[in-house]
Amino acid sequence: MKLTIIGCSGSFPGPDSPSSCYLLEAEGFRLLLDFGNGALGALQRHIGLYDVDAICLSHLHADHCLDLCPYHVVRTYSPHGPHPKVPVHAPADAPRRLAAAYGMPEEPGLETAFDFVRLTPGVFEVGPFAVTAARVNHPVETYGFRISYGGRSVAYSADTGESAELVRLAAGADVMLCEASYLDEPGLPPNLHLNGRQAAEHAARAAAGTLVLTHLVPWYDPDRILQDASRGGFAGRTELARSGAVYDLG
Ligand SMILES: [Zn+2]
Ligand SMILES: [Zn+2]
């Protein structure tokens, strides 16, 4: 299983990264976790334009789903003819919300390019991967994911405040992609996002292998996020997500 970070910029794209998007590959199958704004461009540095086999959307905030709209154009209006539909596992309201974002009527919406599958908590198969979805702690319907293949696993927090579900989801994961949107300061709003220290605390409780701090918001110094994480009691390797970084999990 190979993980490539396509986009790790939090809330909006930054100069060096699109918004959230992660590529997982095994047995030639390509799964995207989230498809935030700007990700479609950077994705083409790593795979062909039509090579996406499935997509999981954690939630319907723009920085996690909006590039499904231009990708609808790619698959529907290609000069080579329309391409097969891609399954999109997403919260219930995705077909309506994304059709509205594109400016399409609800029928057919984006369903010429995508087969929307409603996410619910639990385990399901996507190509060669076992995907576990669990509700995390964010103001809209949001799912964290655990992707497993060949005895290895990657956990992804999506956007979340402190969450016991996230600890369960990431238990023993080889790589934990955990959001760290805030600086560790007093008075942060609850049930919305984590800071670096809290991300590390979750990784410690989950006994994850490597902690990759992600959803890094461009208005903060990423080194400060890393410094905050050093106070979270996590003994494993901790690093900042970077667009283009590849993790080969064997
Ligand atoms: Zn976000
Ligand atoms: Zn969000």
Side-chain angles (χ1 to χ4, degrees):
M1 172 160 61
K2 186 169 106 172
L3 162 68
T4 304
I5 297 177
I6 305 297
C8 54
S9 191
S11 303
F12 53 90
D16 300 316
S17 175
S19 297
S20 297
C21 183
Y22 307 89
L23 169 65
L24 286 149
E25 296 173 86
E27 297 180 17
F29 190 96
R30 283 132 175 172
L31 166 66
L32 293 186
L33 298 184
D34 282 343
F35 210 174
N37 43 335
L40 178 55
L43 179 66
Q44 294 168 69
R45 295 189 196 131
H46 302 280
I47 62 173
L49 194 50
Y50 309 107
D51 290 348
V52 176
D53 294 302
I55 300 168
C56 291
L57 298 179
S58 65
H59 67 302
L60 300 177
H61 282 157
D63 60 313
H64 295 259
C65 69
L66 214 53
D67 269 18
L68 210 65
C69 292
Y71 199 52
H72 168 264
V73 175
V74 168
R75 298 205 69 102
T76 306
Y77 303 112
S78 159
H80 315 295
H83 285 256
K85 289 192 191 190
V86 173
V88 177
H89 301 264
D93 211 20
R96 188 187 66 80
R97 287 278 307 280
L98 288 157
Y102 189 93
M104 285 277 257
E106 265 182 63
E107 296 289 334
L110 305 190
E111 304 204 27
T112 51
F114 306 117
D115 269 325
F116 287 97
V117 184
R118 184 182 177 164
L119 273 174
T120 52
V123 185
F124 54 99
E125 280 179 21
V126 177
F129 300 108
V131 178
T132 308
R135 285 291 294 269
V136 289
N137 183 12
H138 200 52
V140 299
E141 182 184 356
T142 303
Y143 296 86
F145 298 112
R146 181 189 182 101
I147 312 297
S148 301
Y149 173 81
R152 311 301 297 273
S153 52
V154 172
Y156 170 48
S157 66
D159 285 4
T160 186
E162 294 196 278
S163 166
E165 278 294 317
L166 174 60
V167 173
R168 279 193 284 276
L169 194 66
D174 296 280
V175 173
M176 180 180 185
L177 292 162
C178 191
E179 75 122 287
S181 305
Y182 290 139
L183 299 181
D184 189 8
E185 289 173 334
L188 298 175
N191 310 317
L192 188 59
H193 288 295
L194 299 171
N195 59 43
R197 174 182 54 77
Q198 292 168 322
E201 287 168 357
H202 283 67
R205 273 181 246 140
T210 297
L211 169 63
V212 180
L213 300 161
T214 193
H215 202 270
L216 305 168
V217 187
W219 54 47
Y220 292 133
D221 173 6
D223 290 334
R224 171 71 196 278
I225 306 279
L226 198 56
Q227 209 182 322
D228 289 346
S230 69
R231 292 193 301 276
F234 177 63
R237 181 176 171 78
T238 304
E239 54 194 53
L240 295 167
R242 181 177 54 77
S243 177
V246 175
Y247 297 81
D248 196 339
L249 284 94

